[in-house]
Amino acid sequence: MPTMVRAFLHAIRSRLHAGITLVTWASLAACTPALAQVLEANQASAAQLATLHGVGPVLAQRVVQARQQRPFHGWDDLQARVAGIGPKMAEKLSAQGLRVNGRSYGTELAQAVVSARGANPAAPAAPHPPASPSARPPGSAGHERPAGKPSAPPAAAYPTIPGLSAPSR
């Protein structure tokens, strides 16, 4: 009898393990986005473009017609020539695998920011030179304020509120 119980428990365990494995893979497939199919905007057919979420047959046809005039040179060109594709739609399409000349929308945006900043994007802005002692207003010599702390306005700048304001001395 213990042998039959062991065999029964083994059968249940193996089926349970198979079920857990199946559920695990199914939940992983549901939770993780499927690997996006990479589509090149300059080569994809209207039918392929229409498979992207947010692109219907009309928008797909607009992309194909604009591309027939001349290939897109970048995401900015695609957005300028195809009505219905703005920055948000471009971001959404790029996340689904659409590329323009092999580039995703975020890649092109990052390169634009880097080129706008110059050769060294990590370089901080040049600090302002400290004011010379002769440029200080009269009466301020020797009274330095800690950096980043604004000076408080004079007490006369605040209105007097009866019952709440401190008595004047």
Side-chain angles (χ1 to χ4, degrees):
M1 189 101 165
T3 308
M4 284 181 21
V5 171
R6 244 183 266 151
F8 178 73
L9 290 175
H10 179 70
I12 289 176
R13 227 179 276 141
S14 64
R15 286 187 182 175
L16 183 62
H17 179 70
I20 290 173
T21 303
L22 179 65
V23 168
T24 303
W25 280 107
S27 64
L28 283 174
C31 294
T32 57
L35 293 175
Q37 176 185 354
V38 176
L39 289 176
E40 177 58 46
N42 285 320
Q43 298 170 351
S45 68
Q48 289 173 319
L49 291 168
T51 63
L52 297 170
H53 182 69
V55 178
V58 174
L59 186 57
Q61 193 58 41
R62 281 189 211 148
V63 171
V64 170
Q65 287 174 348
R67 182 182 68 212
Q68 286 172 348
Q69 294 171 356
R70 67 182 181 279
F72 302 111
H73 67 268
W75 279 96
D76 56 342
D77 186 31
L78 176 73
Q79 291 177 57
R81 292 172 37 204
V82 179
I85 299 182
K88 285 187 180 184
M89 178 60 87
E91 190 174 322
K92 196 189 303 187
L93 296 176
S94 180
Q96 295 179 60
L98 187 66
R99 301 291 181 261
V100 179
N101 291 329
R103 292 185 177 174
S104 63
Y105 181 65
T107 305
E108 191 167 292
L109 228 108
Q111 286 179 340
V113 169
V114 168
S115 65
R117 287 186 180 171
N120 191 355
H128 295 288
S132 64
S134 61
R136 292 183 184 163
S140 67
H143 298 287
E144 293 294 324
R145 217 174 50 239
K149 298 235 179 184
S151 63
Y158 295 107
T160 304
I161 302 173
L164 293 178
S165 298
S168 54
R169 294 181 185 187

